[in-house]
């Protein structure tokens, strides 16, 4: 009877509509494959056959419902309901996870389970037996067991003094705390809302899809057919509830909560367990800070390498899968599997890589346009009238650029520098500066949209951070004075307003002092440049003597880079001291305060010398015969005869390349060296025993822990790079290209580091990138101002424009082509009488090597009157015209670009329209599903009561 009843649950073909029957014909083979393997087994008993048939009935019902749902029109005439993935399971109910009963012997050897091979290790605590904090640990571990966690201890194979505490959370504990933490879990397959389209549009889409079939497959997308484990489930989620557990999709209780969620729940419990009598004697963090435990971390899911190919044998675990499809250099050109990253490392780290990938993708158009500007300069180099005149100016003798030892020089000697300057300072530079300012706004606005989509897909829309715990340092400092917390209603330590203000004032004073230290370092670099340019001019080697200014700039940049690296170490300690001095109340407040200080310090440290070269170098030097001097001793440095832009390009290029190379080495090379040294010591102490014989907790303990500041270093590096890419991009159009190449490498380096070199970090949640978004907006605003000044002040764009329209051959004709620039070089140079030199700046040579007789006049870059005019060396009218044009350009450029930025930010909504519709539709469907599921449960209970003869009057139908 039971056998017949189970068979009757399978619907017949006649109960399906004609369209559904046609679709079924193409799937009959698949249906037969479902049925035959389980039923045709000869060694199955009756109960197993019955269970198999019931499961088949359930699957076939789902399949038939799917066919009907696709082919039958919805009651809503304006929409079609398209069901999601048929095989919707929980996050870890994939081929990689434990399905059914695994062999305990296998689990015993892989280091991920207790000795019994059944209880999975969710968390590891490490301590030393020689540590004196024994009593606190015993109380803490006793309270852990009281919370329901299971515990097992193992001594290290390397050092018997090291003890590993393995923790496992049973199903009851996981369910209890998942409900308390509002962990969202899948409970129903998604149903997508699709707008009805006209037949004409459907035909066009079919033709387009047919055409796409002829094209090669997208190479940047991961191959989901070869790697089926990459297919993510597509389910609605809801906060877990034990009372409504029947609503959720639970195929296996051991894999319902994925490993990252299990570790997060265990960590949540450990943070709320007492270790000593007292109000504040609670939590794992305090035990780690006082040395009771040496380390605490969740386990990696086995080895990231495998002898077998992932394409033939599949992935051994999620760590192996991440290594093959994310951290491997073979997939450097493919998109990141962000859902897998989020599933393994948590939402906070997943958001960082999502932002980094988005930033890298947005760099492609910026790098392309920047390369186009550079190539435009290359192609127009032979047609540039200014560089032609410089290269042909053999009869123009320039004044020495330093005191005594610098000789007179022909203007044609700087021909190569004039050509290099044209590569970056050409007609397309202004367009590129406007483009980059708009690009920064578009990047931020579209990132908000991308973040909204990610937040929706990862169930972060309605997630709110829990009330944070107070930092132990804050509690210890202000435990005597308490007030009621308005949220929790419990008394907590309170910091007086006067105390807080006084600490903030001291902290701000410390920040100001450190900025003064940066300025002092820049002042030292300026003195170095002033002194060494004379030294290099008198050098023995002709190569250095003839290129003294370039040699000065190059060595100054390298020394500046070393000073930057040394000061960064000092700044970290100062920022840490000032942040602790402020006594922030919670960890997030501490993190935001520390982040702001470190960014401010490093930004000023990295860009101060660049600001000096861009806006001060050669601006306040005076003129020959009346040079301005530092401390009335050192003559201020002048720009090269071809301009100061070449110095700015060298500064940006060298600093950017060196810093990115150094950061990549410190991020990956340093952990690699440390882990190699650890393995070397293990081989020396442990002999020939293979590393693979160590359990997983031993291997993870020997890896490097994630740095104390979390993702701070990764974000800071990219934000500083974003500043380099946008702030002075008008002077160095290749900066986006260098940033793009670095980021392509950076993504894989960070992925490799997280997967192979670091212990597995605790999976934590976050809705966005935090304070970094505000910093990015500030950099975007600053970039508009700096690029306006670079074009107006540093480059020769405005002087050339004024000459073309006012003083050149085309003056008054409204033209500004290359023919209008004839005579520009001569008009931009002033005349100086050699006999007017000061005694301390008079050159040792008299210039007789140029014409056979001592020089009477030399030229210099400025707009000044001749020495025989009524006011010798006074400013000409052209100088004031150029100055007025520069100021006008800055005002017009800033207002125009800011207006464009605001219009773009207004026109681009933060939430995509289709996402808004999906969210509204989903909210409605979830309510309907919950109601239907509850009604179904009540109806089943009513039928069971009637069957048992326990029906009641006045029942709700």
């Amino acid at each position: 009877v039971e056998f017949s009843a189970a068979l009757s649950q399978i619907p017949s073909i006649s109960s399906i509509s004609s369209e559904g029957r046609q679709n079924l014909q193409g799937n009959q083979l698949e249906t037969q494959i479902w049925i035959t393997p389980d039923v045709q087994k000869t060694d199955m008993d009756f109960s197993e056959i019955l269970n198999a048939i019931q499961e088949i009935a359930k699957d076939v019902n789902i399949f038939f419902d799917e066919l009907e749902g696709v082919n039958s029109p919805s009651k809503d005439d304006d929409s079609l309901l398209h069901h999601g993935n048929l095989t919707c399971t929980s996050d870890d109910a994939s081929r990689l996870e434990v399905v059914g009963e695994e062999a305990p012997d296998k689990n015993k050897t892989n280091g991920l389970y207790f000795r019994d091979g059944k209880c999975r290790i969710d968390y590891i605590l490490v301590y030393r037996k020689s540590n004196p904090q024994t009593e606190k640990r015993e109380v803490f571990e006793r309270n852990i067991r009281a919370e329901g966690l299971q515990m097992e201890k193992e001594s290290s194979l390397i050092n018997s003094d090291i003890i590993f505490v393995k923790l496992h959370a049973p199903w009851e504990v996981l369910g209890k705390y998942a409900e308390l933490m509002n962990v969202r879990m899948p409970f129903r397959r998604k149903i997508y809302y699709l707008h009805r389209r006209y037949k004409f549009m459907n035909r066009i889409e079919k033709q387009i899809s047919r055409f796409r079939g002829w094209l090669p497959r997208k190479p940047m997308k991961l191959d989901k057919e070869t790697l089926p484990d990459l297919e993510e489930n597509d389910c609605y989620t809801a906060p877990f509830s034990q009372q409504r557990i029947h609503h959720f999709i639970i195929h296996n209780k051991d894999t319902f909560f994925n490993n990252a969620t299990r570790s997060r729940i265990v960590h949540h419990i450990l943070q709320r367990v007492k270790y000593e009598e007292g109000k504040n004697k609670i939590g794992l963090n305090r035990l780690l800070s006082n040395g009771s435990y040496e380390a605490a971390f969740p386990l990696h899911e086995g080895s990231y390498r495998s002898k077998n190919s992932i394409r033939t044998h599949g992935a051994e675990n999620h760590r192996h899968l991440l290594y093959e499809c994310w951290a491997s250099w073979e997939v450097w050109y493919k998109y990141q599997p962000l859902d897998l990253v989020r599933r393994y490392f948590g939402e906070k780290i997943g958001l960082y890589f999502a932002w980094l990938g988005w930033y890298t993708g947005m760099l492609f158009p910026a790098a392309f346009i920047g390369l186009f500007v550079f190539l435009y300069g290359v192609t127009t180099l032979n047609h540039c009238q200014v560089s032609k005149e410089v290269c042909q100016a053999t009869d123009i003798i320039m004044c020495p650029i330093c005191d005594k030892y610098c000789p007179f020089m022909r203007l044609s000697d700087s021909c190569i520098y004039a050509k290099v300057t044209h590569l970056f300072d050409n007609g397309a530079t202004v367009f590129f500066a406007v483009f980059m300012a708009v690009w920064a706004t578009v990047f931020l606005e579209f990132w908000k949209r991308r973040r909204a989509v990610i937040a929706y897909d990862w169930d972060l829309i309605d997630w709110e951070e829990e009330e944070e715990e107070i930092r132990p340092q804050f509690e210890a400092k202000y435990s005597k004075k308490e007030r009621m917390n308005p949220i929790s209603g419990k008394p907590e330590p309170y910091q007086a307003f006067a105390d807080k203000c006084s600490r903030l004032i001291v902290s701000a004073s410390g920040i100001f002092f450190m900025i003064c230290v940066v300025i002092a370092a820049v002042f030292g670099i300026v003195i170095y440049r002033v002194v060494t340019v004379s030294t290099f001019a008198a050098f023995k080697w002709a190569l250095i003597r003839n290129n003294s200014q370039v040699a000065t700039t190059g060595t100054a940049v390298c020394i500046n880079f070393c000073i930057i690296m040394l000061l960064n170490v000092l700044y970290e300690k100062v920022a840490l001291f000032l942040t602790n001095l402020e006594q922030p109340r919670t960890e997030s407040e501490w993190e935001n305060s520390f982040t702001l200080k470190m960014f401010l310090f490093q930004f000023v440290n990295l860009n101060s010398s660049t600001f000096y070269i861009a806006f001060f170098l050669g601006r306040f030097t005076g003129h020959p015969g009346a040079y301005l001097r530092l401390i009335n001793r050192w003559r201020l440095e002048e720009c090269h005869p071809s301009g100061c832009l070449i110095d700015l390009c060298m500064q940006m290029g060298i600093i950017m390349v060196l810093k990115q190379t150094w950061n990549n080495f410190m991020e990956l090379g340093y952990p690699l060296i440390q882990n190699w040294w650890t393995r070397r010591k293990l081989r020396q102490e442990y002999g020939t025993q293979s590393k693979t014989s160590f359990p997983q907790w031993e291997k993870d303990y020997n890896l490097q822990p994630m740095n104390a500041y979390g993702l701070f270093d990764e974000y800071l590096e990219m934000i500083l790079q974003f500043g380099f890419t946008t702030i002075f991009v008008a002077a160095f159009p290749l900066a986006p290209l260098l940033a793009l190449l670095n980021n392509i490498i950076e993504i894989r380096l960070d992925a490799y580091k997280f997967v192979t070199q670091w212990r597995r970090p605790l999976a934590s949640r976050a809705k966005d990138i935090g304070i970094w978004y505000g910093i990015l907006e500030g950099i975007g605003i600053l970039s508009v101002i700096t690029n306006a000044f670079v074009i107006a002040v540093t480059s020769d764009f405005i002087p050339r424009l004024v000459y073309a329209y006012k003083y050149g051959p085309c003056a008054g004709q409204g033209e500004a082509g290359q023919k209008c620039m004839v005579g520009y070089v001569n008009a931009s140079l002033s005349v100086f009488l050699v006999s007017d030199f000061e005694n301390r700046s008079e050159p040792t040579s008299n210039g007789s090597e140029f014409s056979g007789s001592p020089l009477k006049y030399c030229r210099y870059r400025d707009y000044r009157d001749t020495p025989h005019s009524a006011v010798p060396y006074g400013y000409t009218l052209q100088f004031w015209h150029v100055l007025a044009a520069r100021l006008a350009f800055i005002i017009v450029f800033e207002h125009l670009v800011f207006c464009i930025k605001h219009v773009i930010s207004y026109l681009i909504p933060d939430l995509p329209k289709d996402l808004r519709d999906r969210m509204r539709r989903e909210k409605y469907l979830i309510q309907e599903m919950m109601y239907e599921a509850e009604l179904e449960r009540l109806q089943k209970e009513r039928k069971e009561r009637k069957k048992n003869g326990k029906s009641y009057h006045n029942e709700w139908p």
Side-chain angles (χ1 to χ4, degrees), residues 441 445 448 900-910:
T441 302
E445 291 300 321
K448 287 194 286 189
I900 294 174
K901 285 168 68 73
H902 286 301
V903 169
I904 289 176
S905 61
Y906 174 77
L907 293 178
I908 300 177
D910 295 344

Side-chain angles (χ1 to χ4, degrees), residues 126-354:
V126 185
Y127 69 89
R128 293 182 180 270
K129 289 190 291 185
S130 57
N131 190 287
Q133 308 280 357
T134 306
E135 185 177 351
K136 293 180 180 179
R137 283 197 304 270
E138 289 178 353
V139 175
F140 186 71
E141 292 170 3
R142 194 183 313 125
N143 291 333
I144 287 176
R145 286 190 290 266
E147 289 289 339
L149 296 180
Q150 297 178 11
M151 185 184 303
E152 192 174 82
K153 294 187 178 183
E154 291 263 0
S155 61
S156 172
L157 298 177
I158 303 168
N159 187 351
S160 59
D161 188 44
I162 298 176
I163 303 297
F164 294 96
V165 181
K166 300 178 286 186
L167 301 177
H168 168 76
W171 168 258
E172 294 76 14
V173 176
L174 291 173
K176 172 186 173 183
Y177 280 94
E179 186 172 359
L180 291 175
M181 297 169 62
N182 289 323
V183 177
R184 300 182 70 89
M185 301 303 295
F187 73 94
R188 190 68 64 90
R189 291 188 307 275
K190 275 191 177 179
I191 301 175
Y192 290 101
Y193 177 75
L194 302 177
H195 291 284
R196 182 181 294 278
R197 298 180 178 177
Y198 297 102
K199 292 183 179 180
F200 176 73
M201 295 299 297
N202 288 334
R203 290 175 184 173
I204 292 178
E205 288 183 357
K206 288 181 180 178
Q207 295 297 329
I208 292 175
S209 61
R210 184 180 301 174
F211 175 73
R212 285 178 179 174
W214 299 338
L215 298 176
R217 302 182 63 181
K218 294 182 179 179
M220 297 177 69
K221 286 195 173 182
L222 293 165
D223 189 358
K224 293 187 178 182
E225 294 181 0
T226 310
L227 302 175
D229 301 310
L230 294 177
E231 294 190 13
E232 290 295 317
N233 56 5
D234 208 3
C235 299
Y236 292 124
T237 60
F240 183 76
S241 172
Q242 289 182 314
Q243 293 181 349
R244 298 182 175 180
I245 195 171
H246 53 279
H247 292 172
F248 296 91
I249 304 173
I250 304 177
H251 295 279
N252 188 339
K253 288 185 177 181
D254 293 334
T255 60
F256 178 63
F257 296 104
N258 62 29
N259 296 329
T261 304
R262 296 173 69 100
S263 300
R264 187 156 56 91
I265 291 174
V266 173
H267 181 78
H268 177 86
I269 297 172
L270 297 178
Q271 291 295 90
R272 286 153 179 80
V273 172
K274 281 196 170 187
Y275 60 85
E276 203 173 50
E277 289 299 327
K279 182 173 61 176
N280 300 323
K281 308 295 184 180
I282 184 174
L284 175 63
N285 284 348
R286 290 179 174 86
L287 290 175
L288 289 171
S289 61
N290 64 27
S292 298
Y293 286 100
E294 191 171 294
F297 52 89
L299 284 181
H300 277 296
E301 299 180 8
S303 175
Y304 63 90
R305 294 186 183 274
S306 176
K307 297 179 180 179
N308 302 318
S309 171
I310 191 174
R311 299 186 178 275
T312 57
H313 293 74
E316 298 288 337
N317 50 65
H318 283 134
R319 189 186 185 194
H320 180 214
L321 180 60
L322 279 173
Y323 178 78
E324 292 290 341
C325 68
W326 183 46
S328 174
W329 288 107
E330 297 177 359
V331 293
W332 65 269
Y333 59 92
K334 291 186 178 292
Y335 294 127
Q336 300 182 86
L338 293 177
D339 289 326
L340 288 180
V341 177
R342 171 244 182 173
R343 183 168 64 182
Y344 194 82
F345 292 109
E347 287 80 2
K348 193 170 185 177
I349 294 176
L351 271 172
Y352 163 71
F353 282 102

Side-chain angles (χ1 to χ4, degrees), residues 256-545:
F256 178 63
F257 296 104
N258 62 29
N259 296 329
T261 304
R262 296 173 69 100
S263 300
R264 187 156 56 91
I265 291 174
V266 173
H267 181 78
H268 177 86
I269 297 172
L270 297 178
Q271 291 295 90
R272 286 153 179 80
V273 172
K274 281 196 170 187
Y275 60 85
E276 203 173 50
E277 289 299 327
K279 182 173 61 176
N280 300 323
K281 308 295 184 180
I282 184 174
L284 175 63
N285 284 348
R286 290 179 174 86
L287 290 175
L288 289 171
S289 61
N290 64 27
S292 298
Y293 286 100
E294 191 171 294
F297 52 89
L299 284 181
H300 277 296
E301 299 180 8
S303 175
Y304 63 90
R305 294 186 183 274
S306 176
K307 297 179 180 179
N308 302 318
S309 171
I310 191 174
R311 299 186 178 275
T312 57
H313 293 74
E316 298 288 337
N317 50 65
H318 283 134
R319 189 186 185 194
H320 180 214
L321 180 60
L322 279 173
Y323 178 78
E324 292 290 341
C325 68
W326 183 46
S328 174
W329 288 107
E330 297 177 359
V331 293
W332 65 269
Y333 59 92
K334 291 186 178 292
Y335 294 127
Q336 300 182 86
L338 293 177
D339 289 326
L340 288 180
V341 177
R342 171 244 182 173
R343 183 168 64 182
Y344 194 82
F345 292 109
E347 287 80 2
K348 193 170 185 177
I349 294 176
L351 271 172
Y352 163 71
F353 282 102
W355 176 83
L356 180 56
W358 183 257
Y359 171 45
T360 304
M362 289 293 290
L363 279 174
F364 273 96
F368 176 78
I369 299 297
L371 184 60
F372 170 78
V373 171
F374 179 77
L375 294 178
Y376 174 79
V378 173
T379 55
T380 59
L381 183 60
N382 295 327
H383 306 286
C384 178
Q385 181 64 30
V386 176
S387 59
K388 279 183 182 179
E389 290 186 0
V390 171
C391 294
Q392 296 171 2
T394 56
D395 56 338
I396 297 179
I397 309 302
M398 302 297 295
C399 297
I401 59 175
C402 68
D403 291 338
K404 291 190 176 183
Y405 299 107
C406 290
F408 295 98
M409 59 180 293
R410 286 188 174 92
L411 180 60
S412 58
D413 292 342
S414 60
C415 175
I416 184 67
Y417 303 112
K419 291 182 177 181
V420 172
T421 300
H422 177 74
L423 299 179
F424 302 101
D425 184 14
N426 51 63
T429 303
V430 178
F431 159 74
F432 185 59
V434 176
F435 170 81
M436 286 303 297
V438 174
W439 172 87
T441 302
V442 171
F443 162 66
L444 293 176
E445 291 300 321
F446 275 96
W447 163 248
K448 287 194 286 189
R449 293 166 61 88
R450 173 63 176 160
R451 188 206 65 81
V453 174
I454 291 175
Y456 170 78
D457 291 338
W458 292 356
D459 291 321
L460 299 173
I461 294 292
D462 299 325
W463 177 78
E464 295 293 339
E465 291 189 37
E466 301 176 0
E467 178 66 17
E468 285 192 88
E469 294 182 357
I470 299 175
R471 297 177 67 242
Q473 296 87 342
F474 186 89
E475 286 181 338
K477 181 71 176 177
Y478 301 103
S479 58
K480 295 181 180 180
K481 190 174 183 179
E482 293 183 344
R483 75 171 183 179
M484 198 68 66
N485 187 312
I487 298 175
S488 63
K490 298 178 181 179
E492 66 178 20
Y494 169 66
Q495 183 182 15
F497 179 76
D499 181 76
K500 187 174 184 178
C501 287
S502 62
R503 291 177 179 275
L504 288 176
I505 291 173
V506 174
S507 178
S509 302
I511 295 172
F512 179 74
F513 173 76
M514 293 308 299
I515 292 176
C516 292
V517 172
V518 177
I519 296 174
V522 174
F523 186 75
I525 295 294
V526 171
I527 294 177
Y528 168 82
R529 295 171 67 105
V530 169
V531 173
T532 54
V533 69
S534 300
T535 305
F536 284 142
F539 212 74
K540 297 180 181 179
W541 298 343
L543 179 64
I544 296 179
R545 187 172 60 249

Side-chain angles (χ1 to χ4, degrees), residues 718-755:
M718 290 296 104
I719 298 300
L720 291 175
Q721 184 207 83
F722 179 80
F724 250 89
T725 306
T726 55
I727 292 178
F728 293 104
V729 73
F732 191 57
L734 293 180
L737 179 62
L738 293 179
L740 174 63
L741 297 177
N742 174 79
N743 286 7
I744 293 174
I745 300 173
E746 179 76 21
I747 290 176
R748 304 305 162 182
L749 284 182
D750 284 348
Y752 185 83
K753 177 177 61 180
F754 272 93
V755 174

Side-chain angles (χ1 to χ4, degrees), residues 524-746:
I525 295 294
V526 171
I527 294 177
Y528 168 82
R529 295 171 67 105
V530 169
V531 173
T532 54
V533 69
S534 300
T535 305
F536 284 142
F539 212 74
K540 297 180 181 179
W541 298 343
L543 179 64
I544 296 179
R545 187 172 60 249
N546 297 334
N547 299 277
S548 59
Q549 199 162 14
V550 176
T552 300
T553 302
T555 54
V557 171
C558 294
I559 293 174
N560 185 31
F561 174 75
C562 296
I563 293 175
I564 287 172
M565 294 294 104
L566 291 175
L567 287 179
N568 282 344
V569 178
L570 175 63
Y571 291 156
E572 182 176 345
K573 298 183 182 300
V574 173
L576 194 62
F577 172 76
L578 293 178
T579 306
N580 290 330
L581 181 66
E582 292 177 7
Q583 290 291 351
R585 177 176 168 273
T586 62
E587 288 295 334
S588 63
E589 291 178 6
W590 188 95
E591 183 179 343
N592 290 340
S593 178
F594 179 76
T595 297
L596 196 58
K597 289 181 182 62
M598 278 297 293
F599 168 75
L600 187 61
F601 287 158
Q602 295 217 19
F603 180 80
V604 174
N605 187 28
L606 189 64
N607 294 285
S608 54
S609 57
T610 310
F611 271 89
Y612 164 74
I613 293 174
F615 305 129
F616 297 99
L617 178 62
R619 309 293 169 210
F620 309 102
T621 59
H623 63 86
Y627 287 117
L628 298 177
R629 297 178 182 272
L630 285 175
I631 323 176
N632 199 27
R633 181 178 179 182
W634 293 298
R635 170 182 163 184
L636 290 174
E637 187 183 5
E638 291 186 37
C639 289
H640 197 273
S642 297
C644 293
L645 201 66
I646 186 68
D647 296 314
L648 185 59
C649 291
M650 288 181 62
Q651 173 81 11
M652 291 190 62
I654 294 175
I655 291 291
M656 196 169 185
V657 171
L658 287 179
K659 183 163 179 59
Q660 290 180 349
T661 304
W662 175 260
N663 287 338
N664 289 335
F665 169 75
M666 291 301 295
E667 284 189 4
L668 184 63
Y670 185 65
L672 276 174
I673 293 173
Q674 285 185 314
N675 290 332
W676 170 81
W677 184 255
T678 303
R679 291 194 298 269
R680 183 175 178 273
K681 289 195 299 184
L682 291 179
R683 284 195 298 268
Q684 290 178 350
E685 296 176 4
Y686 220 65
T688 57
Q689 179 165 352
S690 174
K691 180 187 173 184
T692 56
S693 62
F694 294 144
Q696 188 63 42
W697 57 81
E698 194 91 53
K699 296 177 185 177
D700 287 5
Y701 177 70
N702 291 323
L703 294 177
Q704 296 301 310
M706 189 175 179
N707 58 62
Y709 308 128
L711 293 169
F712 170 79
D713 290 335
E714 279 71 23
Y715 272 118
L716 181 63
E717 178 188 354
M718 290 296 104
I719 298 300
L720 291 175
Q721 184 207 83
F722 179 80
F724 250 89
T725 306
T726 55
I727 292 178
F728 293 104
V729 73
F732 191 57
L734 293 180
L737 179 62
L738 293 179
L740 174 63
L741 297 177
N742 174 79
N743 286 7
I744 293 174
I745 300 173
E746 179 76 21

